[in-house]
């Protein structure tokens, strides 16, 4: 059953565990709201980008949409100094910057389109770092921009690419999967099928129903549509009930908390029904039901973008919903066991967002929210942390704690400096609730290090999230530094 809620304060209906929970505006206002500060603001030049972090240069590279002969990247180092670098790469839509073939080298996936009426054409160029040499050019149906995401389908070392049209088309849609052939060292179209007309990205992919087959969900003018991989792409129908004439559509995956199954967040906008979003559970083979629903009729019909991320890296995803001209962030509250609004802003603050992403430009272990406004201004917003959330006493500057790398994905080296000849009484890792998750005994020497395999005392890997490295010196004083376990 789907419940509808119309309100300018975004009242929310939750359907869970057989009961209906009404989230009121008064309760939402009582929640501690997140605060953000602007870490970086600049003119990007496009409303679309993909990015990667270059370890040896300590620089984040942004590849943004440009339809020019020579593509430029925007480069931001950890000190937040930035510059542009022009490359001998034909511009287009830079959908993906990722290692696709599993060789440890990054690939750049750019779609080039030509608007010739005689022969509309589109091509997908796949290039490899560091010189971005051209590996493969794949012809695409027509010249519609195609939204692309990566996914693991067959358990090999490579990543597959799923593509669908990214803009509203009045012709028949299509969907395709591009794979890598290690024998021929080439990329190729592994599967391509017709899709319902007016099928548009962005898309999400996961095995939502846990049947061993990956599902793909993307937008459509009449309702989000579902594809499934079963030794090839197959169209499985619509996810929610059919609606009419969505001008924009959005999709995201949401992990409300580490023990919850992955949900899918679907959004759309129209002049008839305003902004609608559904947070949906899988309830069987390619079947979904509504867990939470939002609706606001604001009189606008702009971008229905949504985005999920884990800003504070506590294992609970936050997600952003558009209710133009307002934008709101929600998160699961472990104490109340409900979804709470934790931040909001109007377009007066940053313009009208057309694209969201996230990352860590300054590599301080605090994830930033990245957004691009309609005028192509780029904003990196960092959460302002409450000093009281740091366990133990305020850290004196004489002792420095850190982890390298931070965030860590498979192991991290815990470092301390300036402890004095007596060293440390103890070193521990604690979670955001103050619980000790891993501890070590006395450590001698004024400086030292421990190699941590990201596991607890029982050898179980820490969940993705934010933790604190805490040490106690010979005088009994506590010191702490944030560390992050990433995917």
């Amino acid at each position: 059953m789907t419940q509808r809620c119309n309100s300018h304060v975004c009242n929310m209906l939750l359907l869970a565990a057989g009961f209906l929970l009404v989230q009121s505006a008064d309760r939402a206002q009582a929640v501690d709201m997140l605060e953000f500060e602007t870490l970086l603001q600049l003119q990007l030049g496009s409303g679309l980008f993909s990015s990667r972090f270059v370890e040896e240069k300590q620089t984040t590279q942004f590849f943004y949409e440009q339809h020019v002969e020579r593509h430029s990247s925007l480069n931001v180092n950890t000190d937040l100094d930035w510059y542009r670098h022009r490359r001998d790469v034909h511009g287009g839509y830079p959908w993906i910057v990722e290692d696709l073939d599993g060789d440890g080298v990054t690939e750049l996936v750019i779609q080039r389109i030509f608007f010739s009426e005689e022969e509309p054409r589109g091509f997908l160029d796949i290039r490899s770092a560091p010189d971005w040499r051209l590996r493969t050019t794949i012809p695409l149906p027509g010249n519609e921009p195609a939204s692309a995401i990566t996914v693991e389908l067959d358990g090999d070392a490579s990543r597959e690419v799923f593509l669908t049209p990214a803009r509203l088309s009045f012709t028949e849609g299509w969907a395709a999967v591009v794979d890598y052939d290690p024998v021929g060292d080439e990329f190729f179209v592994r599967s391509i099928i017709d899709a319902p007309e007016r099928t548009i990205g962005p898309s999400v992919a996961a095995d939502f129903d846990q049947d061993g087959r990956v599902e793909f969900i993307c937008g459509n003018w009449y309702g989000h549509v579902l594809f499934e991989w079963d030794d090839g792409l197959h169209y499985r129908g619509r996810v929610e009930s059919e609606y009419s004439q969505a001008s924009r559509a959005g999709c995201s995956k949401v992990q409300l908390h580490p023990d919850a199954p992955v949900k899918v967040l679907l959004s759309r906008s129209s002049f008839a029904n305003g902004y609608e979003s559904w947070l949906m559970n899988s309830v069987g083979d390619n079947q979904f039901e509504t867990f939470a629903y939002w609706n606001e009729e604001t009189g606008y019909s702009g971008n229905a973008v949504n985005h999920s991320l884990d800003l504070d890296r506590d294992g609970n995803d936050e997600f952003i919903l558009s209710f133009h001209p307002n934008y709101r962030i929600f998160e699961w509250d472990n104490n109340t066991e409900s979804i709470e609004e934790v931040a909001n802003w109007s377009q007066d603050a940053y313009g009208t967002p057309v694209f969201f992403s996230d990352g860590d430009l300054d590599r301080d272990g605090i994830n930033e929210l990245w957004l691009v406004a309609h005028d192509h201004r780029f904003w990196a917003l960092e959460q302002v942390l409450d000093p009281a959330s740091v366990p133990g006493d305020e850290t004196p500057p004489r002792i420095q704690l850190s982890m390298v790398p931070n965030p860590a994905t498979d192991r991290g080296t815990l470092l301390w400096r300036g402890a004095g000849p007596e060293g440390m009484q103890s070193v521990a890792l604690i979670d955001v609730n103050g619980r000790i998750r891993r501890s070590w005994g006395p450590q001698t020497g004024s400086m030292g290090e421990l190699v941590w395999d990201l596991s607890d005392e029982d050898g179980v890997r820490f969940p993705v999230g934010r933790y604190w490295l805490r040490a106690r010196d010979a005088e009994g004083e506590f010191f702490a530094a944030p560390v992050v376990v990433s995917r």
Side-chain angles (χ1 to χ4, degrees):
M1 178 176 65
T2 300
Q3 298 292 323
R4 180 178 174 123
C5 175
N6 293 281
S7 172
H8 291 288
V9 292
C10 196
N11 289 347
M12 184 170 61
L13 300 176
L14 294 179
L15 298 171
F19 65 88
L20 181 68
L21 175 63
V22 179
Q23 172 70 23
S24 71
D26 292 339
R27 182 177 180 84
Q29 293 299 320
V31 176
D32 290 335
M33 304 295 274
L34 302 180
E35 294 183 23
F36 295 91
E37 61 183 359
T38 300
L39 191 68
L40 180 67
Q41 190 267 318
L42 51 82
Q43 192 71 27
L44 182 62
S46 167
L48 169 73
F49 67 83
S50 55
S51 65
R52 70 162 185 161
F53 183 73
V54 184
E55 191 74 39
E56 60 269 22
K57 296 182 179 180
Q58 290 292 290
T59 296
T60 301
Q61 290 183 337
F62 292 89
F63 298 86
Y64 55 96
E65 178 190 345
Q66 304 160 73
H67 301 280
V68 294
E69 290 295 329
R70 297 184 67 196
H71 190 282
S72 296
S73 65
L74 176 71
N75 305 271
V76 182
N77 64 26
T78 54
D79 293 325
L80 305 181
D81 299 321
W82 61 274
Y83 62 93
R84 299 183 193 271
H85 180 69
R86 184 166 291 181
R87 306 175 185 278
D88 290 324
V89 173
H90 198 291
Y93 297 94
W95 293 116
I96 296 168
V97 183
E98 191 174 334
D99 178 11
L100 297 179
D101 54 10
D103 64 353
V105 177
T106 300
E107 274 72 50
L108 171 63
V109 179
I110 291 183
Q111 181 192 4
R112 294 180 288 119
I113 62 175
F114 297 88
F115 296 97
S116 169
E117 293 183 1
E118 294 78 15
E119 186 182 1
R121 295 175 296 162
F123 298 94
L124 200 70
D125 289 345
I126 301 179
R127 298 175 175 272
S128 291
D131 58 354
W132 305 112
R133 64 183 177 88
L134 182 63
R135 298 277 299 278
T136 305
T137 294
I138 298 173
L140 296 176
N143 66 347
E144 289 289 333
S147 175
I149 59 172
T150 62
V151 62
E152 174 53 51
L153 293 176
D154 48 18
D156 59 8
S158 64
R159 302 277 292 175
E160 287 74 43
V161 178
F162 175 74
L163 302 109
T164 53
R167 288 183 182 170
L168 189 61
S169 172
F170 290 89
T171 61
E172 287 294 321
W174 55 271
V177 167
V178 173
D179 202 355
Y180 171 69
D181 174 20
V183 177
D185 188 27
E186 63 180 0
F187 297 90
F188 66 101
V189 176
R190 184 170 173 182
S191 180
I192 185 168
I193 64 171
D194 291 334
E197 66 175 1
R198 305 183 185 185
T199 293
I200 52 177
S203 307
V204 292
D207 183 6
F208 293 103
D209 55 12
Q210 299 295 301
D211 63 355
R213 299 185 293 269
V214 172
E215 292 83 40
F216 303 88
I217 299 174
C218 58
N220 184 274
W221 217 39
Y222 301 113
H224 291 79
V225 293
L226 176 70
F227 302 89
E228 187 175 45
W229 181 262
D230 188 4
D231 197 26
L233 271 178
H234 302 271
Y235 173 62
R236 300 302 193 196
R238 301 190 187 280
V239 179
E240 78 278 59
S241 59
E242 184 172 325
Y243 51 65
S244 61
Q245 300 183 356
S247 61
R248 297 290 189 272
C251 303
S252 296
K253 290 184 295 187
V254 176
Q255 184 91 44
L256 284 182
H257 56 84
D259 297 327
V262 174
K263 305 181 191 302
V264 60
L265 178 64
L266 309 177
S267 299
R268 67 113 175 194
S269 71
S270 70
F271 285 110
N273 296 295
Y275 290 82
E276 294 181 281
S277 290
W278 298 260
L279 187 61
M280 307 194 80
N281 279 326
S282 172
V283 291
D285 187 23
N286 299 327
Q287 301 295 314
F288 293 83
E289 71 175 8
T290 301
F291 180 79
Y293 174 73
W294 296 260
N295 178 215
E296 286 195 29
E297 298 179 12
T298 65
Y300 295 89
S301 182
N303 289 292
V305 290
N306 63 38
H307 184 66
S308 65
L309 70 165
D310 189 1
L311 275 173
D312 48 13
R313 301 189 180 183
D314 62 353
N316 294 7
D317 281 348
E318 294 86 20
F319 54 93
I320 305 168
L321 295 181
S322 299
F323 301 100
H324 183 79
N326 300 307
Y327 303 85
R328 297 189 172 96
I329 301 180
F330 297 89
E331 185 179 26
W332 181 262
D333 187 294
N334 293 330
N335 295 320
T336 63
E337 296 188 343
S338 63
I339 298 173
E340 308 279 7
E341 181 178 330
V342 295
N344 59 65
W345 71 91
S346 78
Q347 68 166 2
D348 296 335
Y350 310 111
T352 302
V354 297
F355 187 77
F356 287 111
S357 187
D358 57 271
D360 187 4
L361 290 176
D362 53 3
R363 310 303 281 183
D364 64 351
I366 302 174
N367 217 20
E368 302 130 16
L369 170 62
W370 298 344
L371 66 86
V372 182
H374 66 289
D375 57 2
H376 298 165
R377 284 179 299 162
F378 169 87
W379 301 80
L381 307 176
E382 189 168 82
Q383 183 182 350
V384 178
L385 297 179
D386 181 0
S389 65
V390 180
D393 296 335
E394 183 179 355
T395 306
R398 65 183 179 85
I399 294 183
Q400 300 175 358
L401 298 174
S402 62
M403 180 176 74
V404 178
N406 193 16
T409 56
D410 55 3
R411 64 179 58 245
T413 301
L414 310 178
L415 306 168
W416 62 91
R417 300 289 184 270
E422 295 84 3
M424 297 289 190
Q425 291 188 34
S426 63
V427 175
L429 285 157
I430 63 177
D431 62 23
V432 293
N433 295 315
R435 295 173 298 188
I436 296 177
R437 302 294 297 271
R438 180 75 184 265
S439 63
W440 292 266
Q443 306 292 321
T444 59
S446 62
M447 63 178 62
E449 62 183 53
L450 288 167
V451 177
W452 175 42
D453 62 0
L454 309 190
S455 68
D456 61 17
E457 305 286 356
D458 299 322
V460 178
R461 192 184 193 276
F462 272 42
V464 169
R466 181 185 177 90
Y467 301 89
W468 292 97
L469 170 61
R470 190 178 71 179
R472 188 178 185 183
D473 71 358
E475 299 175 359
E477 290 187 84
F478 286 100
F479 309 90
V483 298
V484 174
V485 174
S486 185
R487 293 181 176 87

